[in-house]
Amino acid sequence: MNVKLFSLATVIAATSFISAPVAADDQLAISICSYVAADSKTNLRKALSDNRLRLRNVYDGIVCDGLPLVRHAIKHNAEDTAGFIISQLPGSQVAASGDAEWAASNGFAASPIINAIKERSAS
């Protein structure tokens, strides 16, 4: 009986311990999305720094309103933040993302962010 009780307590403790970081990660992703939408490069950099994260390591895991960060920035005309995001990613990843094509086909062809994408893709 004590073994079962101990096992159950261990499972409950492990589950609650694992759940806390997931909630924190979700909150961080929500914050990052809101900083991008508000074109707040300073807050985005601070959030990444405070959590000791490199954007290139978490970029693929963050989706804002169903869009990757750069597309989210294009949608919200967040030029400064998009420039920062693009500069933090490898040029090959930027080139392969299809963000410029997505922008052109979704009515954002005039966005100045497209130039930053093209410049980074060329390097």
Side-chain angles (χ1 to χ4, degrees):
M1 183 72 172
N2 288 338
V3 173
K4 287 182 182 179
L5 184 58
F6 178 76
S7 296
L8 180 61
T10 304
V11 169
I12 291 171
T15 305
S16 62
F17 183 72
I18 292 170
S19 297
V22 172
D25 290 345
D26 288 345
Q27 183 57 48
L28 179 60
I30 291 168
S31 295
I32 288 173
C33 290
S34 66
Y35 297 148
V36 170
D39 200 15
S40 181
K41 181 173 82 171
T42 303
N43 286 338
L44 175 59
R45 289 176 66 141
K46 184 171 179 356
L48 292 169
S49 176
D50 288 351
N51 289 282
R52 298 178 183 207
L53 297 172
R54 293 186 65 178
L55 190 56
R56 68 177 52 207
N57 295 337
V58 297
Y59 180 81
D60 290 331
I62 301 174
V63 178
C64 307
D65 296 331
L67 300 171
L69 285 176
V70 172
R71 294 180 188 187
H72 187 65
I74 293 168
K75 179 180 173 185
H76 291 280
N77 198 29
E79 188 175 347
D80 290 339
T81 306
F84 170 71
I85 294 167
I86 292 165
S87 73
Q88 297 299 304
L89 299 175
S92 59
Q93 183 176 2
V94 174
S97 69
D99 292 334
E101 296 79 9
W102 174 88
S105 67
N106 284 282
F108 300 105
S111 174
I113 299 168
I114 304 306
N115 292 332
I117 292 170
K118 290 179 180 175
E119 287 174 14
R120 184 70 176 145
S121 296
S123 61

